[in-house]
Amino acid sequence: MKKFLLFLSFSLLAVSFVDIAAQQKKPRIGIAGIQIENSVFVPNRQPIVGIPLTLPDYLSPDSLMGQAATWLPALVGRGGGRGPVTRDSYDAFVSEALEIIKANMPYDAFWFYNHGACSVDGVSDPEGEFMEKVRSVIGNDVLVTTTMDLHGNASWLVALNSDLITTYRKAPHDDARQSHRRGVVNLLDRLASGKGRPAYKAWVAVPVLLSGEWTSTRVEPAKSLYAMIPEVEAMPGVIDAGIWIGYVWGDDRRNQGNVMVYGDDKAQVEAGAKKLAQKFWDVRHRFALEAPGYSLEKCLDLAISSDKKPFFISDMGDNPGGGGSGEVTWTLARVLKRPEFQSPDGKSLLYCSIPGDEMVEAARKVGVGGHAEAYVGAMTDNSYEPPVRLSGTVIYVSPVQEQARTGIPSYRQRENIAVIKTGSVYVVVGTSSPTPNLEGTGIDPREMDIVMVKQGYLVNRWYNIKADWVMAQTRGGVDQDFGKLPYKNIVRPMFPLDPDMPEPELNVIFVPSAKHLYGR
């Protein structure tokens, strides 16, 4: 109800603002961000590419929100491969973004559209440092909102350079659009009402470091934990609240769970932050994988013996959506060796997916129905298994793309894929995506006996069609056995790495605004 009234109030303000636009100058709002999630435990390196930021639909020119301000988007940093970003490309992105931001000055407000889990060689807090550099250009009087993924890190530097901040409340992220919009609504409300930056901004470090696979909000305890956020948000004097699970495959002091609450009533903001942080800590032992988790061999045994169809298996260790390289062949190599899949008449298994441009070209040469053979995967990330020599019948190969879109990362381009059948296994080759576009391939995942995807918790596309589901403890840069990860820089003790650690203080720290900290 509180948010409805807030939005209604803002809508009325926006209508009024539009009506008197001729007499009153619209606020100028800049936008920039970094949208990359990449594990430091991956040998690959990738460039960050600055993409012109497209305004979301709720800021369309004919919408109330779109008309309420002059929107000045700069760049959003994205990546095509996986693994940490190279320092040179990060510096180049920051420089390019700052030039655009300078050219669009002055600003009344700024929106940082961040993920929060970017890793850059030699940079401990890429988003925080980027935000600080932008602040040095636009000044500390500018009102700033930051919207984030709950699997990112709201570091101290991010918190310092944000006047308002919010994050997703669901994993999977069905509320991504809603969350970003909420951040923009709050920003516009504070501008239109003249209230400006909130008086209090609370930050609490919670020494828990887990992955999304262990903290899905579809199940307990995360479901109830995140259900508390609207309750805190509804407290008088509180504007917004958030819980950041954090990014488990990063290795800096910022990598941990944390809570942020902001508003105009100090006591309520502090009480809300303490309540969420304490609950987060109290339920730490209850976090578990959303689906049963076993070794790969046991998962395959269960799937083969099951009469449920399609039976899903998550290949968790190399999930590119979590920051893995997406090219690890450890799982595929073992699937292809299973005798149950050697015959074309065995149980069908769809494997999504493995990079392999050489195989796609080989498939294109022989055409559908022909026999192709080539190496796939592990071209860079070969620490677990070398490239696999895949040999089979071409079921589908995408047509030649007319022209590559220069400057756009490969994951934004049309997929250049082939589907190769070997025994009873259908391998999607040419992409690391766990959700490849199978339209026109002749492959219907619902008709497969088994579907294996490089994913942790299933996104809704797969979740909604599964007949059964298990999560395989496989190898890769986003390994779920956190005790094996070679951390060097995170703050210890940390749960679950230190399961018997003492009770933390969970101190509520009030973060100054950048203006208050620097005095100008």
Side-chain angles (χ1 to χ4, degrees), residues 100-156:
I100 297 172
I101 290 167
K102 288 176 184 177
N104 288 333
M105 288 179 69
Y107 300 96
D108 300 288
F110 207 91
W111 171 21
F112 283 106
Y113 176 71
N114 287 341
H115 181 289
C118 179
S119 301
V120 178
D121 287 334
V123 181
S124 62
D125 186 356
E127 291 90 352
E129 293 190 26
F130 175 56
M131 293 171 68
E132 189 172 50
K133 289 179 184 296
V134 173
R135 274 285 198 188
S136 71
V137 169
I138 66 176
N140 292 323
D141 285 324
V142 173
L143 187 65
V144 167
T145 189
T146 302
T147 59
M148 297 180 67
D149 189 304
L150 64 89
H151 297 131
N153 293 101
S155 68
W156 180 258

Side-chain angles (χ1 to χ4, degrees), residues 177-256:
R177 178 184 179 278
Q178 174 186 343
S179 296
H180 291 299
R181 187 176 184 277
R182 179 175 62 248
V184 176
V185 166
N186 286 338
L187 178 68
L188 289 171
D189 177 69
R190 299 298 288 197
L191 286 171
S193 66
K195 294 178 180 178
R197 60 173 49 91
Y200 302 101
K201 184 173 51 177
W203 185 91
V204 189
V206 183
V208 173
L209 194 54
L210 289 167
S211 66
E213 286 75 9
W214 289 81
T215 55
S216 168
T217 60
R218 286 192 291 226
V219 295
E220 297 295 349
K223 184 176 182 179
S224 294
L225 174 63
Y226 274 83
M228 293 174 62
I229 294 176
E231 299 173 11
V232 171
E233 184 185 46
M235 294 167 63
V238 171
I239 299 170
D240 203 335
I243 299 171
W244 282 256
I245 294 296
Y247 188 58
V248 70
W249 296 294
D251 186 21
D252 285 298
R253 295 178 67 83
R254 66 181 178 139
N255 293 103
Q256 61 183 337

Side-chain angles (χ1 to χ4, degrees), residues 7 63 161 181 225 296 300 309 432 455 461 467:
F7 180 66
S63 69
N161 286 285
R181 187 176 184 277
L225 174 63
L296 174 63
L300 289 171
K309 173 181 176 179
S432 63
Q455 206 159 74
R461 171 183 171 182

Side-chain angles (χ1 to χ4, degrees), residues 487-504:
Y487 291 111
K488 297 178 181 178
N489 302 311
I490 62 171
V491 179
R492 303 291 288 267
M494 182 79 69
F495 181 86
L497 302 175
D498 305 298
D500 299 322
M501 63 180 289
E503 292 285 316

